[in-house]
Amino acid sequence: MKRMNNTKIFFSISTAQIVLALLTVLFLYSCSVERFIPDDEFLYTKETVILTPDSVVNDLDDIELDLKAALRPEPVSSVLGGYPGLYFHYKANREKPGFINKFFNKKMGKEPVYASDIQTYEMEQILLNRLENKGFFYSVANSEIVRDTTNKEAEAIYRLRLSKPYRLKTFQLDTDTLPVYSKIQNSLSETLIKPDMRFSLNAMKAERERIDAYLKGEGYYNFNSGFLIFETDTNQYKNKKFDLYLRLKKDVPQKSIVPYKIAKVNIFPNNRVDADSTQLDTTRFAKKDFIQDEVYFKPKRLDPFVLIEEGDLYSPATSKATGRRLGSIGAYKFVNIRYDELENKDEDSLGQLAANIYLSPLNKRAVRAEVKAVTKSNGFSGPGLGLTFINRNLFKGGETLNISLDGAYEIQVGGSGNNQGSSSIQLGV
């Protein structure tokens, strides 16, 4: 027979850790709030949602989390069985709360939530509405408040029976002669609405936002996702299927359903709040107007950073990319791109925009100082100083000149031998 070795494991716990643990337990125990709760009230500490589906639902856990997020008010949360936030709230609202109680109430105090604050019927309607938004029409809800008379605590329990959800049979765009309809139709190759998917209000909202972003990228400057409306039809089916239709709302403004092109590009390389743009000089370069009182930034150097071009359709992506490129120069504090609509006699087919790019420079010159403490392994240590001089846009083309001066005085304060007490001075550019 083989002899089995007995292995002993020792855990080392310091006295300070034991004292801290005991103090924590004592603190939480002392934070009992039962004596502060009114006689006819129960502290609301827990909420439970129980779902019983009539069919297979793969995302039942996600639905439960979404429903719980809709419940109001939230239960009072405990810390290791205690309620320190509530405790200091109660203590601070007494006749003579004292400084400590008022201080902790300000930092961590929480107001109590009682069972009488829970409107269960209203919560049931909210939960049913959430379920309808997910396709579970004609579901049933009931609720109850369970009270613990020993601990003076209460729990709200919501039971919901989920009916079989409605699922998509077909999805199509209403036909119309407006050119914007053909653009929307082209975008449907990337639609978020898929056959047999459960009815989902969130999916429809996301689809509207996707189409809106697509049309903005095609130049539709004034389009808005709110102009799109979905309609459902369940009359063709008896097995909880539905057809989905997409169309534009009635009386949508004409300027919202036409694309816009860039008619002018105005760049202000040295924008100031107090400057009068009518008094500034304009330089025409690469089909752009550079407007500045004197040449702060050479147009031929600034032009490559601007991707917005005359004649192009409006594009949010191009606008954002231009802003990022201009910000990367290092000479500007703020980059602001604003579009102004221009009058156009042919409003039915194409709108016109003026792209105004306002560039607010950083201070041209700056000095930065850095104090350092140097310690080396050979015993030398001492203070150091670094100075950096910055000259931005030095040759009016976005260049930045940095001149750094470094200095340190070191003395050997440790070790032994002839070098003890030696010192050195270091300078660098």
Side-chain angles (χ1 to χ4, degrees):
M1 296 179 62
K2 293 183 179 180
R3 179 176 296 177
M4 301 296 292
N5 293 326
N6 293 326
T7 303
K8 296 182 178 180
I9 302 176
F10 297 92
F11 295 94
S12 177
I13 303 176
S14 66
T15 304
Q17 290 174 316
I18 296 175
V19 173
L20 180 60
L22 291 174
L23 288 176
T24 302
V25 173
L26 181 62
F27 170 76
L28 292 174
Y29 178 77
S30 66
C31 289
S32 175
V33 297
E34 291 180 23
R35 63 185 183 276
F36 299 112
I37 301 175
D39 294 337
D40 57 343
E41 293 286 5
F42 291 83
L43 197 63
Y44 179 50
T45 60
K46 188 178 180 181
E47 60 187 12
T48 302
V49 175
I50 302 174
L51 303 180
T52 305
D54 287 343
S55 59
V56 177
V57 180
N58 296 325
D59 58 341
L60 201 61
D61 291 340
D62 294 335
I63 294 175
E64 181 181 337
L65 290 175
D66 183 60
L67 294 178
K68 282 187 174 181
L71 295 174
R72 293 292 182 274
E74 295 182 1
V76 179
S77 57
S78 64
V79 179
L80 297 177
Y83 300 94
L86 274 181
Y87 174 81
F88 289 112
H89 170 81
Y90 283 125
K91 297 287 285 186
N93 284 275
R94 304 188 78 178
E95 186 175 347
K96 295 181 179 180
F99 170 76
I100 294 179
N101 290 323
K102 289 194 292 184
F103 173 80
F104 279 106
N105 179 53
K106 185 177 180 181
K107 294 296 182 181
M108 57 185 294
K110 292 184 178 180
E111 293 188 6
V113 180
Y114 299 119
S116 60
D117 298 326
I118 312 303
Q119 305 297 323
T120 54
Y121 177 77
E122 293 181 7
M123 290 300 102
E124 287 178 16
Q125 303 311 305
I126 291 175
L127 295 178
L128 290 174
N129 180 258
R130 285 286 181 104
L131 290 175
E132 289 179 355
N133 293 342
K134 297 178 182 295
F136 298 96
F137 293 91
Y138 311 112
S139 296
V140 179
N142 60 73
S143 59
E144 65 174 327
I145 301 292
V146 179
R147 294 170 173 83
D148 181 354
T149 56
T150 303
N151 298 316
K152 299 210 69 177
E153 295 178 351
E155 173 188 5
I157 301 177
Y158 299 90
R159 295 181 175 87
L160 298 110
R161 187 171 189 86
L162 277 59
S163 62
K164 182 180 178 181
Y166 279 78
R167 295 192 174 274
L168 176 66
K169 184 67 175 180
T170 64
F171 170 47
Q172 56 186 306
L173 176 69
D174 277 354
T175 57
D176 196 285
T177 58
L178 293 174
V180 68
Y181 271 90
S182 63
K183 289 291 183 181
I184 296 175
Q185 185 65 54
N186 292 339
S187 77
L188 293 185
S189 60
E190 300 179 0
T191 182
L192 303 175
I193 308 296
K194 304 297 181 182
D196 201 45
M197 69 176 290
R198 196 170 64 214
F199 177 93
S200 172
L201 184 62
N202 288 337
M204 295 179 191
K205 290 180 179 179
E207 177 68 2
R208 292 200 313 175
E209 295 296 331
R210 187 197 64 80
I211 295 174
D212 177 51
Y214 175 84
L215 292 178
K216 288 284 194 345
E218 294 293 315
Y220 288 80
Y221 174 74
N222 280 313
F223 193 83
N224 188 289
S225 62
F227 297 149
L228 294 167
I229 185 171
F230 285 98
E231 294 178 338
T232 59
D233 182 9
T234 61
N235 294 326
Q236 307 298 322
Y237 311 100
K238 296 182 179 179
N239 56 347
K240 292 200 171 183
K241 297 284 186 179
F242 70 96
D243 295 325
L244 185 64
Y245 300 91
L246 175 64
R247 65 173 177 82
L248 288 176
K249 292 181 179 180
K250 296 180 180 179
D251 302 325
V252 173
Q254 177 63 29
K255 66 178 184 178
S256 301
I257 54 176
V258 297
Y260 278 73
K261 74 173 183 179
I262 307 300
K264 293 184 65 178
V265 179
N266 301 318
I267 303 174
F268 299 82
N270 188 19
N271 181 56
R272 300 191 309 273
V273 177
D274 58 346
D276 184 0
S277 60
T278 60
Q279 302 298 320
L280 303 179
D281 295 329
T282 300
T283 302
R284 184 75 174 172
F285 181 82
K287 296 183 179 181
K288 301 178 184 69
D289 290 335
F290 293 82
I291 305 170
Q292 48 191 330
D293 50 0
E294 59 181 18
V295 180
Y296 175 81
F297 206 118
K298 295 177 181 178
K300 68 177 182 179
R301 300 297 184 192
L302 189 57
D303 176 65
F305 293 92
V306 180
L307 303 178
I308 303 171
E309 301 287 347
E310 283 189 10
D312 289 351
L313 290 175
Y314 163 76
S315 170
T318 302
S319 184
K320 290 179 181 178
T322 297
R324 288 195 299 267
R325 289 166 67 91
L326 291 170
S328 69
I329 296 175
Y332 292 110
K333 179 189 285 187
F334 300 112
V335 177
N336 182 25
I337 302 177
R338 191 183 73 194
Y339 292 92
D340 294 331
E341 295 185 47
L342 303 177
E343 292 186 8
N344 183 18
K345 295 180 180 179
D346 189 16
E347 294 181 354
D348 292 341
S349 60
L350 202 64
Q352 293 187 350
L353 294 173
N356 300 301
I357 303 175
Y358 299 96
L359 306 173
S360 303
L362 291 161
N363 292 331
K364 186 172 179 61
R365 298 176 182 85
V367 177
R368 183 173 64 243
E370 181 181 11
V371 179
K372 299 176 287 186
V374 180
T375 301
K376 295 182 178 179
S377 59
N378 59 4
F380 279 85
S381 61
L385 178 65
L387 293 175
T388 301
F389 171 76
I390 303 173
N391 192 331
R392 299 183 179 92
N393 199 32
L394 181 62
F395 302 115
K396 301 180 181 179
E399 308 86 359
T400 300
L401 173 67
N402 288 285
I403 300 177
S404 297
L405 302 175
D406 291 297
Y409 174 76
E410 301 174 3
I411 185 171
Q412 190 177 38
V413 295
S416 60
N418 297 329
N419 291 331
Q420 188 171 7
S422 299
S423 63
S424 65
I425 298 177
Q426 296 183 4
L427 297 174
V429 177

